[in-house]
Amino acid sequence: MRSAIPQFLQYLAHERNASDLTIKAYREDLFGLVEFLEDQRGSTPKPQDLSPQDLRGYQAALQEADYARNTISRKLASLRSFYRFAQRQELATTNPASPLRNPRRQRKLPHVLSGAEVNRILKTPPLNDPNGLRDRAILETLYSAGLRVSELVGLNDGDLDFDQQVIRVRGKGRKERMSPLGSFAVRALRRYMPTRNRDPLEPQSPSAATFLNRFGRRLTTRSVGRMLEKHIQVAGLDTRTSPHTLRHSFATHLLDAGADIRSVQELLGHKSLATTQIYTHVSAANLLAIYEKAHPRAR
């Protein structure tokens, strides 16, 4: 197993063009299984040695360790994908992960900010220094276009079209989409971009990173998370707020304002409409809360 897994990861990187985050998740999932089996057996098994019963034992151990159901489902999907590869490479004759059933999916409503809370955090970064200008541009862009943080840090200067007020976004699976950019985000980006301290060794071209750290290099998702934590404290928002909260808020506010769900699906870059439908539940919950608060005979 320990020699077969790197082969599979190489296949994902070079033939499936999987992202670094996807490969990292597969690596953690598969080596987690290996460590479990080594602890159980005292040795490292070969791919063909495993049976569905072995993997059911692993699934049961994950459940006992209180892993979220969505996490367990993802780990099982990693195993199925690995064994399909192993069968093609004649490292295994069967796929022991095929008979395993995913636990029922956990439907947890995302944390969403109100319009007033969004305005509060967007106005938190100061406009009198380069870092504040950058942070304001980041927050405005995240909320204006409903981006994932990985999509935001992956933006290049050539992806921005201020005349048309759109940006080119590279989403999951390298799939590209065009997202509209509101006037507030355009204004924030125009203020920020001339203040950037670029690394002189980095090429100045359309492929140059839009959002930079203090060394003039592309910002990371972790840096955006740390930046947001600071502004959350200043704005006095719920500690559950994360960079993804702005994406959740973007979708929910569009639906609350009457946008149709398929348009929101396109804007978010969701492959499946079912993924977008969770925001209809959030909108319904918001409407119910407003009704119970405002209607004299709601209670």
Side-chain angles (χ1 to χ4, degrees):
M1 290 286 285
R2 285 194 175 273
S3 60
I5 292 171
Q7 294 178 44
F8 173 60
L9 299 177
Q10 287 285 326
Y11 159 76
L12 290 177
H14 299 302
E15 297 191 36
R16 296 292 299 275
N17 200 27
S19 69
D20 292 341
L21 287 175
T22 298
I23 293 169
K24 180 176 181 287
Y26 273 106
R27 182 185 295 110
E28 291 174 354
D29 292 344
L30 295 170
F31 278 114
L33 169 66
V34 171
E35 289 166 7
F36 169 80
L37 293 170
E38 287 175 340
D39 186 57
Q40 294 286 308
R41 298 179 174 211
S43 62
T44 304
K46 296 177 181 178
Q48 66 265 30
D49 294 340
L50 299 189
S51 67
Q53 289 73 26
D54 293 318
L55 298 185
R56 285 194 184 99
Y58 176 57
Q59 183 177 2
L62 293 173
Q63 290 167 337
E64 288 174 10
D66 207 23
Y67 276 84
R69 283 174 282 182
N70 291 349
T71 302
I72 294 173
S73 295
R74 191 204 72 208
K75 290 179 180 292
L76 296 182
S78 298
L79 296 180
R80 293 187 191 100
S81 183
F82 167 73
Y83 267 99
R84 286 194 292 271
F85 169 81
Q87 285 179 286
R88 288 196 297 272
Q89 299 298 313
E90 298 183 349
L91 300 172
T93 56
T94 61
N95 188 337
S98 292
L100 303 185
R101 298 184 66 179
N102 289 343
R104 291 189 65 179
R105 194 168 182 191
Q106 218 166 356
R107 297 294 289 180
K108 186 169 136 185
L109 293 182
H111 173 55
V112 172
L113 300 177
S114 67
E117 288 172 327
V118 169
N119 286 334
R120 203 154 81 226
I121 194 166
L122 292 182
K123 292 179 180 178
T124 299
L127 299 179
N128 58 358
D129 70 80
N131 283 340
L133 290 171
R134 182 201 63 186
D135 293 356
R136 180 78 68 96
I138 286 172
L139 295 176
E140 289 281 6
T141 304
L142 281 172
Y143 179 64
S144 181
L147 302 185
R148 302 176 178 94
V149 183
S150 59
E151 295 170 345
L152 176 107
V153 299
L155 286 176
N156 300 323
D157 286 354
D159 297 325
L160 310 179
D161 186 338
F162 290 143
D163 292 334
Q164 298 297 319
Q165 291 196 192
V166 294
I167 54 175
R168 183 189 300 108
V169 181
R170 281 169 288 280
K172 288 186 175 180
R174 305 288 199 273
K175 185 178 178 183
E176 290 191 2
R177 68 182 188 276
M178 300 302 292
S179 290
L181 204 59
S183 60
F184 286 88
V186 169
R187 190 155 53 246
L189 283 163
R190 284 189 183 277
R191 281 195 298 245
Y192 156 65
M193 291 176 73
T195 70
R196 293 178 296 182
N197 180 28
R198 285 200 175 279
D199 184 340
L201 300 178
E202 293 289 325
Q204 310 300 303
S205 69
S207 62
T210 298
F211 293 106
L212 307 177
N213 61 21
R214 61 194 177 96
F215 302 108
R217 301 189 187 95
R218 187 181 296 274
L219 204 62
T220 65
T221 56
R222 183 172 295 182
S223 296
V224 174
R226 285 197 298 264
M227 175 273 290
L228 187 64
E229 285 176 7
K230 177 181 69 176
H231 295 306
I232 288 167
Q233 287 185 333
V234 174
L237 296 182
D238 192 313
T239 54
R240 291 177 296 166
T241 305
S242 70
H244 217 64
T245 301
L246 290 172
R247 178 172 162 87
H248 294 322
S249 303
F250 162 86
T252 305
H253 295 169
L254 284 176
L255 289 169
D256 284 345
D260 70 275
I261 192 168
R262 289 205 174 272
S263 297
V264 175
Q265 177 192 2
E266 289 294 322
L267 290 169
L268 291 171
H270 283 163
K271 184 177 180 181
S272 168
L273 185 64
T275 309
T276 315
Q277 283 175 332
I278 191 169
Y279 296 110
T280 63
H281 299 302
V282 177
S283 294
N286 289 343
L287 288 173
L288 181 59
I290 293 169
Y291 173 81
E292 289 181 346
K293 183 178 179 180
H295 198 285
R297 292 186 176 272
R299 292 176 181 271

